[in-house]
Amino acid sequence: MHGSLAHLPASATTTPAVPIVTMAEVDSFQEINRKYFNQIANTYDDILPTMREHTAKIAQVMAEQVKLDPETTSVMDFACGTGLVSINLVPYVKEVIGVDISEAMVEKYNEKASLNELSAKKMKAVLLDISKDKEGLGGKKFDVIICSLSYHHFDQVQEMTNNLVEYLVPGTGVLLVVDLIRTEHTVAWHTAKKHICSHVGGFEENNIREVYEKAGFKDFSWIFVGNWEWEKTPISMFMAKGTRPADS
């Protein structure tokens, strides 16, 4: 799986150009990403012609990996963006709360919920940096936390994962992370994006397994999700899964 990629559709097109934020303009790596995603929030849903199709696929695989109940299941969509994955999970869960540090992404997320006539009790996003504000969600625990295509942007992946486990229900709470499988193609693609991509090219299974284990998760698993083409680069995605132990 790691060494080969399936043939990708010829219809995939190049991502539209977006403004580039340079290191000189901001103070931190996190701030670079915040400004970058603020800039592209209005066009993010159409950044690829197949964006909605692929994010729906991610949500489908997530729903297959965990038991979801529309009466009881509470989900946090971490680094939620515009809510492309959340909107596809809504029918299967009681609530989805998006969390992001980008003001524009949070605005688009809540706009999407409103346009789909979803109440704030069903789907809403909040502006929150969990690394700085541990009480921003009032001590709420979630049955599932999802994070899609964002881990490679985090400069402190271990610290972030350590923080996320604290928001899960002890004994049953599950963290699902979807991101890029590291290949020579993704490394070459990301080399020009090091200003926003801390983990150039994505991850290998052993990288993520170690992060999960150090954060205290049990029952780690890694599965293949699918293939995309992004800016003419073939990419493959994984989904990692782990459960918070009862005694953590």
Side-chain angles (χ1 to χ4, degrees):
M1 181 176 67
H2 290 236
S4 62
L5 297 173
H7 178 71
L8 293 158
S11 60
T13 60
T14 303
T15 303
V18 296
I20 298 299
V21 180
T22 67
M23 275 288 209
E25 295 174 327
V26 289
D27 296 327
S28 69
F29 191 87
Q30 184 183 59
E31 183 69 0
I32 292 171
N33 274 280
R34 186 187 70 81
K35 287 197 172 186
Y36 174 78
F37 284 104
N38 274 342
Q39 288 177 330
I40 68 171
N42 285 333
T43 57
Y44 186 79
D45 286 6
D46 299 307
I47 206 166
L48 292 177
T50 55
M51 194 67 168
R52 290 176 176 80
E53 173 189 341
H54 288 310
T55 49
K57 168 69 173 182
I58 289 173
Q60 176 189 339
V61 176
M62 287 176 169
E64 293 169 354
Q65 289 299 304
V66 291
K67 185 178 180 180
L68 302 175
D69 187 327
E71 300 298 322
T72 62
T73 302
S74 178
V75 176
M76 178 202 292
D77 187 348
F78 184 67
C80 61
T82 65
L84 283 170
V85 176
S86 287
I87 197 69
N88 286 286
L89 285 178
V90 161
Y92 308 104
V93 302
K94 179 182 179 181
E95 64 175 349
V96 185
I97 296 178
V99 174
D100 210 297
I101 63 170
S102 162
E103 299 89 342
M105 286 293 190
V106 167
E107 182 179 345
K108 296 300 290 186
Y109 185 108
N110 288 328
E111 179 182 298
K112 185 179 272 94
S114 178
L115 288 172
N116 283 273
E117 299 182 342
L118 296 169
S119 71
K121 289 184 177 181
K122 187 70 173 180
M123 176 179 165
K124 71 174 180 180
V126 295
L127 186 67
L128 179 66
D129 181 351
I130 67 168
S131 66
K132 297 177 181 177
D133 184 356
K134 306 291 186 181
E135 303 300 324
L137 293 172
K140 185 175 178 62
K141 303 294 184 185
F142 294 85
D143 300 300
V144 183
I145 296 177
I146 64 172
C147 187
S148 304
L149 301 173
S150 297
Y151 253 52
H152 62 274
H153 289 284
F154 303 155
D155 56 337
Q156 300 292 334
V157 166
Q158 188 65 63
E159 179 183 346
M160 197 66 73
T161 307
N162 294 347
N163 289 331
L164 289 173
V165 72
E166 298 298 323
Y167 287 87
L168 286 167
V169 175
T172 58
V174 172
L175 173 64
L176 298 176
V177 172
V178 173
D179 215 294
L180 309 178
I181 298 173
R182 193 172 191 268
T183 68
E184 60 181 336
H185 302 292
T186 58
V187 169
W189 174 44
H190 272 176
T191 297
K193 297 176 176 291
K194 287 190 287 187
H195 64 292
I196 57 168
C197 297
S198 180
H199 297 271
V200 172
F203 302 91
E204 297 177 1
E205 180 177 352
N206 64 303
N207 304 141
I208 296 297
R209 179 185 294 274
E210 182 178 2
V211 168
Y212 268 66
E213 290 177 349
K214 284 185 176 180
F217 285 96
K218 64 177 184 178
D219 303 328
F220 175 83
S221 64
W222 162 294
I223 64 169
F224 172 74
V225 174
N227 295 313
W228 293 17
E229 185 171 278
W230 200 309
E231 294 182 349
K232 299 183 179 179
T233 300
I235 64 173
S236 294
M237 293 178 295
F238 70 85
M239 181 180 294
K241 175 184 175 183
T243 304
R244 178 179 180 177
D247 58 354
S248 68

